[in-house]
Amino acid sequence: MKPVKPRKKIIYVDDVSYSLMALKDRIKEEYEVYPAQNVQKMFTLLKNVQPDLIILDVNMPGTNGHDALKMLKSDPEYSSIPVIFLTANSEKEEIVKEVKLGASAHVNKPFAVKTLTETIDRVIAEAGHLNAFR
């Protein structure tokens, strides 16, 4: 019998509850998804969950995705967690800004499940290789 590989843990932050549930339903077979409707809930989750990846929306009331990424990268406890932006804004300037802030990737909404899961797997694998040298 083949051993069951533990699923990677992902925190997904989006203020739209439908988006949270839609993403979770589409990738729950491959990943353990922890939804958070705002950045404050993300930080609450981070106290109990060690994610392999965080997926952020950009446009959210209160703290937006860019500010959330700045907060993550400035905290040594969370700075090595890779972040993917999942957003409807696909302008080149937006993607450049995300990369400069420290994002690992950008996926457009609406997303193709295969594109998202391939991006997740690539980013987690790259983060694993980088952390092996630290």
Side-chain angles (χ1 to χ4, degrees):
M1 193 166 151
K2 191 175 178 182
V4 177
K5 181 171 88 167
R7 293 182 300 159
K8 299 293 185 183
K9 296 177 183 169
I10 297 172
I11 293 177
Y12 174 40
V13 188
D14 194 317
D15 60 308
V16 179
S17 57
Y18 171 78
S19 294
L20 290 171
M21 292 306 111
L23 180 130
K24 184 175 181 174
D25 286 346
R26 289 184 181 147
I27 66 172
K28 67 184 176 188
E29 298 299 318
E30 294 183 57
Y31 311 100
E32 229 175 289
V33 180
Y34 297 84
Q37 279 197 293
N38 58 50
V39 173
Q40 291 71 25
K41 288 182 181 176
M42 174 191 74
F43 279 106
T44 299
L45 277 171
L46 283 168
K47 292 176 184 172
N48 301 307
V49 176
Q50 293 183 319
D52 297 285
L53 176 80
I54 295 173
I55 299 175
L56 289 172
D57 185 24
V58 174
N59 297 317
M60 297 183 284
T63 307
N64 67 33
H66 294 150
D67 291 338
L69 182 57
K70 289 176 193 173
M71 294 162 69
L72 288 164
K73 294 302 179 186
S74 68
D75 188 325
E77 190 172 349
Y78 307 126
S79 62
S80 65
I81 301 170
V83 173
I84 294 174
F85 276 103
L86 180 60
T87 182
N89 188 344
S90 61
E91 294 175 14
K92 184 178 178 184
E93 296 80 18
E94 172 64 26
I95 297 168
V96 169
K97 181 176 184 175
E98 293 167 3
V99 170
K100 285 182 179 179
L101 290 172
S104 299
H106 171 103
V107 176
N108 292 332
K109 284 183 185 176
F111 63 91
V113 174
K114 184 176 183 196
T115 300
L116 181 62
T117 57
E118 286 174 353
T119 303
I120 289 169
D121 291 342
R122 177 184 54 78
V123 168
I124 290 174
E126 288 170 358
H129 293 302
L130 291 174
N131 290 333
F133 294 107
R134 291 185 182 162

